[in-house]
Amino acid sequence: MSAGPTLADLTAHELADRFASGDATAVEATEAALERIQLTDDVLHAFLTVTAEQALDQAHAVDQARQRGERLGPLAGVPLALKDVLVTKGVRTTAGSRILDDFRPPYDATVVKRLRDAGAVIVGKANLDEFAMGSSTEHSGFGPTRNPWDPSRVPGGSSGGPAAAVASGQAVLGIGTDTGGSIRQPASLCGVVGVKPTYGLVSRYGLIAFASSLDQIGPFARDVRDAAALLEAIAGHDPMDSTSLEDVPTDFTSRIEFGVEGLRIGVVKQLLPDDLDATVAAPVREAIDRLARLGATVEECTLPSFEYALSAYYLIAPAECSSNLARYDGVRWGLRVKDATDVVDMMQRTRQAGFGAEVKRRIMLGTYALSAGYYDAYYGQAQRVRTLVARELRDAYERFDLLVGATAPGTAFRLGELVDDPLQMYLSDVFTIPVNLAGNAAVSVPAGFVDGLPVGVQLVAPVLGEALMLRAARALERDLDLPNRPADLIPMLRDREGAQS
Ligand code: GLN
C-alpha cells in the first residue's frame, strides 16, 4: 500500500499556498524532503552531501520570519537540490571529482547567495559526472546516480543528481548546469522540466568551470511555473562575472498563462530526424501537434549546420576544459599525493590519482587540439562551425518565434550500457549541443512516456527569449496535464513508502 503523497510531492507554488494559509511550515516541508532522501537515497544516490542540519536551521528561520510578519522571498521554505559544482561556503564541494574530495570553499556562488535571499532551503549537494563531463552520472568519482523511474537505468547527466532528486521528491526544485545538454537531457530522462538559460543570463561566479564559453546554470522543477519562478530568482546581472549580461529581462512568470495562439513555431528537421527512434519521435510529434491545436502556426525548417555541432563541441569543450582544469595541481586545493620526490612529480601523480578516465580523455583531446600546428585545423575550424550555427539560428528567428525538436535521442539507458563507448555517450547530446554553441535558451518539458520511461520535448528560444519559451512550455504542459506527484508515479517509491507504512 502506498503511504500517499507528502509535502515533498508538492510543487513550489502549491507549497507556497500551504505556507501562506498556515497549513504547513517550512520546517515540515524540509523534513518531508529529508525523509524522502532517507527513504530512497541508498538506491538513488542523488546526493554527495546532505546538509540536513543547515537546511532545518534555514527552514526554521523562514518560519520565524513568517511569524514576525516579515516579507519573505519568493521561494521561502522550498527544499532545493544543488548540483555539487557550485561552491558553498564551508560546505564540501566536489564537482564529482576525487581531486576535490574534501574541498570546503571560502565563499558562496552568486546563484547560491540569490537562492538563499529568495528563501530556498538547500537540502544537499547533488551528484554529477566529474566536472560535469558526461551524460549519465556514471563518470562521477563517487559512484553513479540511478533513475527513480527504473533504478537499473541512468538518470542522464551530467546533472543527474538534481534531476533524480526533483523527480523523486527528495527536493522540490533543483539547480543544474548545462554545457552541452546537462540540464535538458537528464530532465528528459527523469520526466521533469529543465531550463538552459541564455548564456550570460545567470551568473557563473562560483561555478566550477568546465567550458567557460558554454557553461550555464539553470533550473529543474516538476512544472513549468516552478521552473520560471526559480529562474527569476537566479537570473540577472552580476558584476562578479564578466560575461554576465546587463539589463536582462527577469520576469518569466507574469505572462506565463498567455498561451501560444499566433506564435510561429519551426520544427527543426535536424532535431527530429526521420531516423530518430520512433518511440521517442511519437510523443514529440504529438506535443508538436498539440501546439498547433492550441493555435500556434507550425512549419518545418532545416538548419544544416547542426549536423556539425557535435563535432565542433567535442573540440571546443575539451579545449576549454584542458585550460580550466590546469588549476588542479595539488598546490592550492583538494588532493595532494604524499611522498612526492619533487614538485613536478607531485603534480603529475596528484592529477593521475585525482582525475577519472573521462576527464583525462578530455584534457588530452583539448591539449592536442590547441597545440601549435593543429590549432587552426581543429579549434579554429570548430569556432567557424560555431559561428555558422549561431548565424543559422539567428536567421531562423526571423521566420519563427520558437523552434522545437526532441531533447534526447532515446529514453533512459541502462547503467553500463554506454559507459565504455564514449562516442555513443557523446551522441546523447546531439540535439542539445547546438543551443550551447549559439548561446541562446532552451527548455525540456515532459511530453509523455514510453514503456514507463519519460520522454521530453525541447523548445528552443532566441537569445533572451525565456519568457516566451516558458509561456509555450506552460501551454503544452497545461494541455498534456500529466500527473507530477512522485509518490503517485514512481514505482520504487510506492514500494518503499508501502514498506514503511
Ligand atoms: N554530455 C556533454 C558532455 O559530456 C554535456 C555535458 C554538460 O552539459 N555539462 O560534455
Side-chain angles (χ1 to χ4, degrees), residues 83 132-135 157-158 177-183 210 313-314 317 362 425-426 429 433 436:
K83 187 178 184 181
M133 298 174 197
S135 304
S158 64
T177 61
D178 192 311
T179 304
S182 279
I183 292 175
F210 162 13
Y313 172 89
Y314 276 100
R362 306 266 181 129
M425 188 75 94
Y426 295 173
D429 293 305
I433 277 172
N436 300 78

Side-chain angles (χ1 to χ4, degrees), residues 273-289:
D274 294 333
D275 59 359
L276 178 63
D277 187 339
T279 54
V280 177
V284 174
R285 286 192 194 285
E286 204 215 301
I288 295 169
D289 289 346

Side-chain angles (χ1 to χ4, degrees), residues 263-334:
L263 290 190
R264 301 161 306 165
I265 298 182
V267 183
V268 184
K269 205 156 173 29
Q270 286 74 13
L271 300 185
L272 194 55
D274 294 333
D275 59 359
L276 178 63
D277 187 339
T279 54
V280 177
V284 174
R285 286 192 194 285
E286 204 215 301
I288 295 169
D289 289 346
R290 272 177 200 273
L291 289 168
R293 274 205 304 280
L294 291 169
T297 317
V298 175
E299 231 180 274
E300 271 215 5
C301 66
T302 167
L303 301 176
S305 68
F306 278 26
E307 310 275 358
Y308 307 103
L310 189 84
S311 314
Y313 172 89
Y314 276 100
L315 289 165
I316 294 169
E320 293 187 21
C321 104
S322 70
S323 161
N324 273 326
L325 270 56
R327 60 173 65 100
Y328 305 101
D329 54 9
V331 176
R332 286 162 288 192
W333 311 275

Side-chain angles (χ1 to χ4, degrees), residues 43-44 138 145-155 412-417 453 492:
V43 173
L44 295 182
E138 291 167 292
T145 296
R146 290 171 181 269
N147 192 312
W149 294 91
D150 174 354
S152 71
R153 294 174 187 271
V154 303
F413 42 93
R414 287 188 190 284
L415 267 91
E417 201 175 317
L453 295 172
M492 78 162 284

Side-chain angles (χ1 to χ4, degrees), residues 167-190:
S168 65
Q170 295 178 330
V172 173
L173 300 173
I175 289 286
T177 61
D178 192 311
T179 304
S182 279
I183 292 175
R184 289 160 287 160
Q185 184 257 13
S188 178
L189 271 48
C190 289

